[in-house]
PDB file of all heavy atoms in Angstrom:
ATOM      1  N   LEU A 374     149.305 141.241   8.425  1.00  0.00           N
ATOM      2  CA  LEU A 374     149.864 142.312   7.594  1.00  0.00           C
ATOM      3  C   LEU A 374     149.377 142.154   6.155  1.00  0.00           C
ATOM      4  O   LEU A 374     149.443 141.058   5.589  1.00  0.00           O
ATOM      5  CB  LEU A 374     151.396 142.263   7.654  1.00  0.00           C
ATOM      6  CG  LEU A 374     152.129 143.531   7.239  1.00  0.00           C
ATOM      7  CD1 LEU A 374     151.872 144.670   8.233  1.00  0.00           C
ATOM      8  CD2 LEU A 374     153.638 143.274   7.142  1.00  0.00           C
ATOM      9  N   LYS A 375     148.898 143.253   5.557  1.00  0.00           N
ATOM     10  CA  LYS A 375     148.454 143.197   4.163  1.00  0.00           C
ATOM     11  C   LYS A 375     149.667 143.386   3.249  1.00  0.00           C
ATOM     12  O   LYS A 375     150.655 143.988   3.663  1.00  0.00           O
ATOM     13  CB  LYS A 375     147.397 144.280   3.912  1.00  0.00           C
ATOM     14  CG  LYS A 375     146.161 144.081   4.774  1.00  0.00           C
ATOM     15  CD  LYS A 375     145.160 145.212   4.581  1.00  0.00           C
ATOM     16  CE  LYS A 375     144.139 145.189   5.713  1.00  0.00           C
ATOM     17  NZ  LYS A 375     143.938 146.528   6.311  1.00  0.00           N
ATOM     18  N   PRO A 376     149.570 142.906   1.997  1.00  0.00           N
ATOM     19  CA  PRO A 376     150.746 142.937   1.114  1.00  0.00           C
ATOM     20  C   PRO A 376     151.362 144.322   0.929  1.00  0.00           C
ATOM     21  O   PRO A 376     152.571 144.455   0.811  1.00  0.00           O
ATOM     22  CB  PRO A 376     150.194 142.421  -0.219  1.00  0.00           C
ATOM     23  CG  PRO A 376     148.948 141.703   0.111  1.00  0.00           C
ATOM     24  CD  PRO A 376     148.403 142.270   1.373  1.00  0.00           C
ATOM     25  N   GLU A 377     150.524 145.371   0.948  1.00  0.00           N
ATOM     26  CA  GLU A 377     151.074 146.716   0.693  1.00  0.00           C
ATOM     27  C   GLU A 377     151.608 147.362   1.975  1.00  0.00           C
ATOM     28  O   GLU A 377     152.137 148.479   1.935  1.00  0.00           O
ATOM     29  CB  GLU A 377     150.005 147.607   0.038  1.00  0.00           C
ATOM     30  CG  GLU A 377     148.844 148.039   0.923  1.00  0.00           C
ATOM     31  CD  GLU A 377     147.734 146.975   1.098  1.00  0.00           C
ATOM     32  OE1 GLU A 377     147.964 145.804   0.716  1.00  0.00           O
ATOM     33  OE2 GLU A 377     146.676 147.319   1.638  1.00  0.00           O
ATOM     34  N   GLU A 378     151.483 146.668   3.109  1.00  0.00           N
ATOM     35  CA  GLU A 378     151.894 147.271   4.377  1.00  0.00           C
ATOM     36  C   GLU A 378     153.314 146.853   4.781  1.00  0.00           C
ATOM     37  O   GLU A 378     153.821 145.823   4.359  1.00  0.00           O
ATOM     38  CB  GLU A 378     150.919 146.856   5.495  1.00  0.00           C
ATOM     39  CG  GLU A 378     149.534 147.491   5.341  1.00  0.00           C
ATOM     40  CD  GLU A 378     148.557 147.026   6.417  1.00  0.00           C
ATOM     41  OE1 GLU A 378     148.614 145.835   6.828  1.00  0.00           O
ATOM     42  OE2 GLU A 378     147.735 147.850   6.838  1.00  0.00           O
ATOM     43  N   VAL A 379     153.919 147.704   5.635  1.00  0.00           N
ATOM     44  CA  VAL A 379     155.219 147.385   6.227  1.00  0.00           C
ATOM     45  C   VAL A 379     154.993 147.248   7.729  1.00  0.00           C
ATOM     46  O   VAL A 379     154.389 148.123   8.352  1.00  0.00           O
ATOM     47  CB  VAL A 379     156.239 148.515   5.952  1.00  0.00           C
ATOM     48  CG1 VAL A 379     157.543 148.242   6.674  1.00  0.00           C
ATOM     49  CG2 VAL A 379     156.468 148.668   4.464  1.00  0.00           C
ATOM     50  N   GLY A 380     155.438 146.149   8.293  1.00  0.00           N
ATOM     51  CA  GLY A 380     155.160 145.893   9.698  1.00  0.00           C
ATOM     52  C   GLY A 380     156.404 145.967  10.584  1.00  0.00           C
ATOM     53  O   GLY A 380     157.470 145.481  10.211  1.00  0.00           O
ATOM     54  N   VAL A 381     156.236 146.587  11.753  1.00  0.00           N
ATOM     55  CA  VAL A 381     157.305 146.611  12.753  1.00  0.00           C
ATOM     56  C   VAL A 381     156.717 146.048  14.034  1.00  0.00           C
ATOM     57  O   VAL A 381     155.662 146.506  14.482  1.00  0.00           O
ATOM     58  CB  VAL A 381     157.784 148.057  13.035  1.00  0.00           C
ATOM     59  CG1 VAL A 381     158.805 148.074  14.170  1.00  0.00           C
ATOM     60  CG2 VAL A 381     158.374 148.685  11.780  1.00  0.00           C
ATOM     61  N   PHE A 382     157.365 145.034  14.606  1.00  0.00           N
ATOM     62  CA  PHE A 382     156.942 144.615  15.945  1.00  0.00           C
ATOM     63  C   PHE A 382     158.017 145.007  16.938  1.00  0.00           C
ATOM     64  O   PHE A 382     159.199 145.087  16.596  1.00  0.00           O
ATOM     65  CB  PHE A 382     156.637 143.111  16.004  1.00  0.00           C
ATOM     66  CG  PHE A 382     157.843 142.219  15.857  1.00  0.00           C
ATOM     67  CD1 PHE A 382     158.498 141.707  16.983  1.00  0.00           C
ATOM     68  CD2 PHE A 382     158.328 141.881  14.604  1.00  0.00           C
ATOM     69  CE1 PHE A 382     159.611 140.887  16.848  1.00  0.00           C
ATOM     70  CE2 PHE A 382     159.447 141.068  14.466  1.00  0.00           C
ATOM     71  CZ  PHE A 382     160.086 140.566  15.585  1.00  0.00           C
ATOM     72  N   LEU A 383     157.596 145.296  18.167  1.00  0.00           N
ATOM     73  CA  LEU A 383     158.558 145.677  19.189  1.00  0.00           C
ATOM     74  C   LEU A 383     159.067 144.403  19.857  1.00  0.00           C
ATOM     75  O   LEU A 383     158.291 143.628  20.409  1.00  0.00           O
ATOM     76  CB  LEU A 383     157.920 146.612  20.223  1.00  0.00           C
ATOM     77  CG  LEU A 383     157.239 147.875  19.672  1.00  0.00           C
ATOM     78  CD1 LEU A 383     156.973 148.872  20.802  1.00  0.00           C
ATOM     79  CD2 LEU A 383     158.026 148.554  18.583  1.00  0.00           C
ATOM     80  N   GLU A 384     160.375 144.172  19.744  1.00  0.00           N
ATOM     81  CA  GLU A 384     160.977 143.026  20.432  1.00  0.00           C
ATOM     82  C   GLU A 384     161.348 143.544  21.808  1.00  0.00           C
ATOM     83  O   GLU A 384     162.324 144.264  21.991  1.00  0.00           O
ATOM     84  CB  GLU A 384     162.166 142.497  19.598  1.00  0.00           C
ATOM     85  CG  GLU A 384     162.880 141.276  20.132  1.00  0.00           C
ATOM     86  CD  GLU A 384     161.988 140.226  20.799  1.00  0.00           C
ATOM     87  OE1 GLU A 384     161.478 140.519  21.896  1.00  0.00           O
ATOM     88  OE2 GLU A 384     161.838 139.104  20.277  1.00  0.00           O
ATOM     89  N   THR A 385     160.481 143.221  22.792  1.00  0.00           N
ATOM     90  CA  THR A 385     160.506 143.929  24.077  1.00  0.00           C
ATOM     91  C   THR A 385     161.567 143.446  25.054  1.00  0.00           C
ATOM     92  O   THR A 385     161.860 144.130  26.027  1.00  0.00           O
ATOM     93  CB  THR A 385     159.115 143.850  24.746  1.00  0.00           C
ATOM     94  OG1 THR A 385     158.672 142.485  24.689  1.00  0.00           O
ATOM     95  CG2 THR A 385     158.108 144.731  24.040  1.00  0.00           C
ATOM     96  N   ALA A 386     162.126 142.254  24.835  1.00  0.00           N
ATOM     97  CA  ALA A 386     163.171 141.764  25.754  1.00  0.00           C
ATOM     98  C   ALA A 386     164.109 140.826  25.013  1.00  0.00           C
ATOM     99  O   ALA A 386     163.744 140.215  24.001  1.00  0.00           O
ATOM    100  CB  ALA A 386     162.541 141.046  26.944  1.00  0.00           C
ATOM    101  N   HIS A 387     165.315 140.703  25.524  1.00  0.00           N
ATOM    102  CA  HIS A 387     166.288 139.778  24.941  1.00  0.00           C
ATOM    103  C   HIS A 387     165.877 138.332  25.265  1.00  0.00           C
ATOM    104  O   HIS A 387     165.496 138.044  26.400  1.00  0.00           O
ATOM    105  CB  HIS A 387     167.670 140.075  25.527  1.00  0.00           C
ATOM    106  CG  HIS A 387     168.781 139.390  24.799  1.00  0.00           C
ATOM    107  ND1 HIS A 387     168.995 138.039  24.893  1.00  0.00           N
ATOM    108  CD2 HIS A 387     169.712 139.861  23.945  1.00  0.00           C
ATOM    109  CE1 HIS A 387     170.027 137.710  24.126  1.00  0.00           C
ATOM    110  NE2 HIS A 387     170.488 138.800  23.545  1.00  0.00           N
ATOM    111  N   PRO A 388     165.951 137.428  24.286  1.00  0.00           N
ATOM    112  CA  PRO A 388     165.527 136.042  24.525  1.00  0.00           C
ATOM    113  C   PRO A 388     166.266 135.365  25.696  1.00  0.00           C
ATOM    114  O   PRO A 388     165.693 134.485  26.355  1.00  0.00           O
ATOM    115  CB  PRO A 388     165.812 135.329  23.206  1.00  0.00           C
ATOM    116  CG  PRO A 388     166.511 136.301  22.328  1.00  0.00           C
ATOM    117  CD  PRO A 388     166.309 137.661  22.884  1.00  0.00           C
TER     118      PRO A 388
END
Side-chain angles (χ1 to χ4, degrees):
L374 199 67
K375 298 176 196 132
E377 71 279 12
E378 290 177 324
V379 175
V381 175
F382 69 96
L383 306 195
E384 182 37 290
T385 48
H387 192 288

